[in-house]
Amino acid sequence: MNTTSSFPVARYRFEFEVRQPIRLPDYAGSMLRGAFGHALRQLACMTRQKDCAACPLIASCPYPAVFAPPPPTSHRLQQFSQLPVPYVIEPPAWGSRVLAEGETLIFHQVLIGKALQELPLIILAWRRAFARGVGAGDGTADLRRVIHCGDAGEHEIHRPEIGTIATHAQTVVLKGTDDSATPGAAVLHFETPLRLQHNGRALPPDKLQARTLLMALTRRASLLAEFHADGPLASDFTKLSTAAALIREEKRLTWLDWTRFSSRQKQKMSLGGVIGTWRLEGPLAPFAPFLQLGEWLHVGKEASFGLGQYQLARDRHEDTSDSLDKPRDCQRQVSETQELNL
């Protein structure tokens, strides 16, 4: 772990009022990501080239920086076909339904590192996406407000009729790796399917190990910090892997299957994963900041549209309301505004 004591990340709640009925599938994360990416590209792209890789403005355009960051030609850990994106979309609760005119659609988006600088453009992209239409039937909606959900509580930071964005915290203070300050047990309550893969296949509950989970959390947070913030959070992965092997576990996980239609591949894709409770016990100190960040960053495949989401508690007998970090347990507070017109 490096000496970084904070991490640039923030969670935002978007509230839309439905104008024309919106059909939500069982899990709306993929649908929302597609609508967001399309609208962001329309707003940001100046050359209208089909392929970002050949665009002369790729280094300065906010679209690839946020939605499709180009991988480096070489890296000390591995070769990348794609990089982790600096956002996570957290869709509404599981279950297909139709939102009628006048109802409220609520979802969250987590922004990481340099993507935080693009918040005005990102808000505008969501407005554009819902004005054009999303989902089957192209349902439409109007943005009513954006809420920042952080450790200090809940802050309304934007309303379209005002046009400014309120100042707010965009970093999380990381927990230390001091043995005396770190609980010896932690419980992860997975709310959306976790897909940790081996040889291209998601592992079922009986094949999952604490080491696999902890190293996936460590790699994800470190890579996001390296490519989108101030540098990697971890350097000695061999040492961390050895430490992870000492962690004991108790799993109450079940498999949840679901499918989505890929517009890019023109076919249905099965994206099942595990949900439930996973208790870890042992020398967790080296992984304390990564377990904390996982509540914001998610973990596993398809984290960008909300999979691998969990809430963290100190012990299995505690309720999730007593979690180590409560990024969405917000109370309303007043904040100042800065002049960032949309």
Side-chain angles (χ1 to χ4, degrees):
M1 184 75 185
N2 69 16
T3 57
T4 302
S5 60
S6 63
F7 188 88
V9 63
R11 176 178 275 111
Y12 302 96
R13 186 170 78 237
F14 288 80
E15 298 181 2
F16 281 84
E17 182 179 336
V18 176
R19 274 195 287 119
Q20 297 179 13
I22 295 177
R23 297 180 180 275
L24 297 178
D26 278 337
Y27 186 74
S30 176
M31 179 193 81
L32 289 173
R33 183 184 65 172
F36 170 66
H38 187 70
L40 184 64
R41 197 178 202 280
Q42 280 195 330
L43 286 170
C45 180
M46 297 182 65
T47 64
R48 303 305 176 193
Q49 292 189 202
K50 291 184 178 181
D51 183 10
C52 289
C55 179
L57 301 182
I58 188 171
S60 59
C61 179
Y63 170 75
V66 173
F67 198 78
T73 55
S74 63
H75 190 265
R76 61 190 176 88
L77 291 179
Q78 65 185 79
Q79 291 295 318
F80 290 95
S81 58
Q82 59 184 24
L83 291 180
V85 294
Y87 70 86
V88 175
I89 294 170
E90 298 175 335
W94 202 278
S96 62
R97 57 198 178 278
V98 177
L99 296 179
E101 179 183 357
E103 290 191 271
T104 301
L105 170 66
I106 295 176
F107 62 91
H108 295 79
Q109 185 174 30
V110 177
L111 298 180
I112 302 146
K114 297 174 184 176
L116 290 161
Q117 302 170 16
E118 305 298 341
L119 179 59
L121 178 64
I122 287 169
I123 292 175
L124 190 57
W126 282 116
R127 292 178 62 185
R128 178 71 60 86
F130 279 94
R132 186 181 65 246
V134 300
D138 290 330
T140 60
D142 296 318
L143 180 65
R144 289 299 175 232
R145 62 178 186 165
V146 181
I147 307 294
H148 170 252
C149 291
D151 291 333
E154 176 182 290
H155 305 255
E156 180 179 292
I157 63 166
H158 175 70
R159 284 181 178 267
E161 63 268 25
I162 297 175
T164 57
I165 296 178
T167 56
H168 56 280
Q170 293 186 320
T171 59
V172 171
V173 177
L174 296 180
K175 299 181 184 301
T177 56
D178 187 325
D179 284 330
S180 64
T182 303
V187 179
L188 289 73
H189 301 274
F190 280 94
E191 302 170 352
T192 61
L194 167 68
R195 292 176 57 84
L196 295 178
Q197 294 188 326
H198 179 68
N199 291 334
R201 292 190 175 185
L203 295 170
D206 61 320
K207 299 293 185 182
L208 289 170
Q209 297 179 344
R211 177 184 172 278
T212 308
L213 171 65
L214 290 170
M215 294 310 297
L217 284 166
T218 301
R219 283 193 299 269
R220 175 162 170 77
S222 193
L223 288 174
L224 283 167
E226 178 178 355
F227 290 111
H228 302 297
D230 298 326
L233 296 177
S235 56
D236 194 339
F237 284 89
T238 300
K239 183 178 179 180
L240 286 168
S241 180
T242 300
L246 301 176
I247 303 301
R248 301 178 298 279
E249 61 188 331
E250 178 184 335
K251 296 177 293 189
R252 296 180 181 178
L253 302 170
T254 58
W255 185 265
L256 176 65
D257 255 327
W258 72 285
T259 59
R260 74 177 182 94
F261 182 80
S262 172
S263 57
R264 182 173 60 87
Q265 300 185 35
K266 306 298 181 184
Q267 63 179 350
K268 285 187 176 182
M269 302 180 65
S270 178
L271 289 175
V274 299
I275 58 172
T277 301
W278 196 340
R279 185 175 189 269
L280 307 176
E281 185 175 357
L284 289 170
F287 303 100
F290 304 113
L291 286 164
Q292 175 193 3
L293 283 173
E295 287 195 291
W296 301 81
L297 308 179
H298 299 210
V299 63
K301 294 289 289 182
E302 312 299 358
S304 63
F305 58 77
L307 296 192
Q309 179 179 17
Y310 66 83
Q311 294 292 316
L312 184 63
R314 286 191 179 91
D315 189 87
R316 63 179 172 178
H317 302 297
E318 293 185 357
D319 187 84
T320 53
S321 61
D322 296 322
S323 61
L324 288 173
D325 194 57
K326 298 186 288 185
R328 285 186 290 169
D329 183 14
C330 300
Q331 294 180 351
R332 193 176 188 81
Q333 296 186 12
V334 178
S335 55
E336 300 173 354
T337 59
Q338 60 183 5
E339 295 301 319
L340 289 176
N341 293 308
L342 298 180

